[in-house]
Amino acid sequence: MKPLFGKDSAIPDKKKIVFLGDSITDEGTFIAYMDAYFLQHMPANQMTLINLGVSSETASGLSEPEHPFPRPCVHDRLAKALAESKPDWVVVCYGMNDGIYYPYSSDRFEAYQQGLLRAVTQIKAMGAKIILMTPPPFDAASFTGGSLLPSGQPAYSYSQPFADYEDVLKRYADWVLTLDDVADALVSIHDPMLLEWEHKRKENNNYVTGDGIHPNAEGHWLIAAALLRVLFNISLEQMPEYVLQPDSSSLFSAVEQRHRLLSSAWKEHVGHTNPNKAEALPLELALKEGEALKNLILSLADHPENKNNSRTSSWKGYERIDFMLKGREGLIVFPKTFAQGRPWIWRAEFFDAFSYPDMALLEQGWAIAYYRLSDMYGCPGAVERMRTFQTYVTGAYELAPKTVLFGFSRGGLYAFNYAAKYPDQVKLLYLDAPVLDMRSWPGGKGAAAGGAAEWEECLAVYGETEETESSLKGCSPLDRVEELAAGGIPVLIVAGDADIPLPIEENTLPFEKRYRELGGAIKVIVKPGVGHHPHSLEQPEPILSFIQQYSK
């Protein structure tokens, strides 16, 4: 997915984002979730989210004969919508209605393509950035709106859709993801939702995703999380409790009330051809009432229970606390009894993956910490967020002032760059099959293939492009060996000599050579014939021995 976020994944101070789409956008719970996130965790950032979704709408201008009225088309109102809302960004999501619930037809597909591209051209012409979302899936197993029809029928409709209509939407979604050169950002929700539904149905074969057309609350959360990830590089795995229990949160109840008030007012202010009109206040009055609700929400967000959103649970028999810090997810797992000095290890990335040494240390009285800064590639902004995290957890949970940092794979970038910048906060580094040269991975400038999407993300968070990537010189660990050596940080590296994505010849071995030349304390454990996976050592005694040697 093409990223829209910029250097250090800094959240814009102010942004007006308009959402255009059909009934899924009109219902707009995913927009309310995004609004709740920003108001609760980043209240200083003025994010104005305007829901201009209209039920039954299409981009294609098509309508099935059995529909009770001609389906609205976004092009009937797009010019006025843009003129009235004056957006910075426009998020567009169509497709569910554009195949009009019939089997695939090249003519209908072309109408969808032309309609979407026409909208893109018009939005870009007025100076806004365009974000295209794929349509969500059609879930025949959850369909409750009528009866599913096989192929070969004379007519279909939203109440009697083609049983394999999902195949049509899959084609539409795949095509949207080819528009990298047309859109400013692409957001895939179709395939991720299918994968999540598959996972849910392995646990519960009767899991219902919504009504087949409209996703349920969990589906809307998946959409919100995808948008936050692509637009702002905010990765969230924990689903807020109010997704499944909206009435349990007075803060979200106020957000939802404000969202309904403003979305209805905006939709009717702009106008549309759907004969079913929403009850709405005049826009000026709605905006005034919305501001009063916003003040209430900000007041609620300042309450201690909402500020860090802390939750305690049991994890593998140990106490675990999850919390939010500056809009990012953090967690601490506590030992049953702390070792002397309350030591802790910090997983820079991939919490609980190949966690043999983590679990052994937990049993010995060490805490485990994690702060989700995924896909920031150890950039300066990530390093400063890490410093905020360490300050918080050492104070709030009375942990040892220095940590032992674990950097697995790309987590090596975070661990190394943090230790190089703040050596007085780190006892030692344990790096496992680490990225130590971004030109090797994700850049693919050496023997490894690299990763095109990851390279694009990496360049974005460092504020560079493919044309200026040479400016990354000095950012990779291999360019900063002297800084780490000057800090006197001991380093342990475990790596396989058959690692294809991250060849040790381009990462571990040149780092080891230079670190030894500079007098640094380093131990490298090479696993013969082992690739990038599996990480770590199933018998972690050599790792534990190194940590114990240098953490006294």
Side-chain angles (χ1 to χ4, degrees), residues 344-349 358 361 366 369-371 383 386-387 389-390 402-408 411-423 425-432 484 489-492 543 546-547 551:
W344 58 295
I345 59 174
W346 181 357
R347 266 290 187 123
E349 188 55 292
D358 314 53
L361 288 167
W366 291 57
Y370 175 64
Y371 192 40
V383 168
M386 291 172 73
R387 185 70 191 96
F389 175 76
Q390 185 170 8
K402 287 190 175 185
T403 186
V404 171
L405 259 172
F406 282 18
F408 280 41
L413 294 171
Y414 298 83
F416 182 101
N417 288 345
Y418 185 76
K421 178 71 182 290
Y422 295 107
Q425 303 299 317
V426 179
K427 285 186 175 181
L428 63 91
L429 294 180
Y430 160 38
L431 308 177
D432 199 291
L484 194 71
I489 304 293
V491 179
L492 169 68
I543 300 169
F546 185 90
I547 292 172
S551 61

Side-chain angles (χ1 to χ4, degrees), residues 453-503:
E454 291 86 355
W455 183 230
E456 192 170 28
E457 286 180 336
C458 181
L459 290 171
V461 295
Y462 279 92
E464 305 297 340
T465 65
E466 188 68 47
E467 290 71 32
T468 65
E469 59 90 7
S470 59
S471 299
L472 286 179
K473 180 74 174 174
C475 298
S476 288
L478 281 185
D479 301 324
R480 307 180 64 189
V481 181
E482 291 79 3
E483 291 179 62
L484 194 71
I489 304 293
V491 179
L492 169 68
I493 301 181
V494 176
D497 65 3
D499 191 331
I500 295 174
L502 288 174

Side-chain angles (χ1 to χ4, degrees), residues 361-374:
L361 288 167
L362 182 61
E363 291 171 6
Q364 294 176 17
W366 291 57
I368 305 173
Y370 175 64
Y371 192 40
R372 192 177 305 284
L373 296 170
S374 301

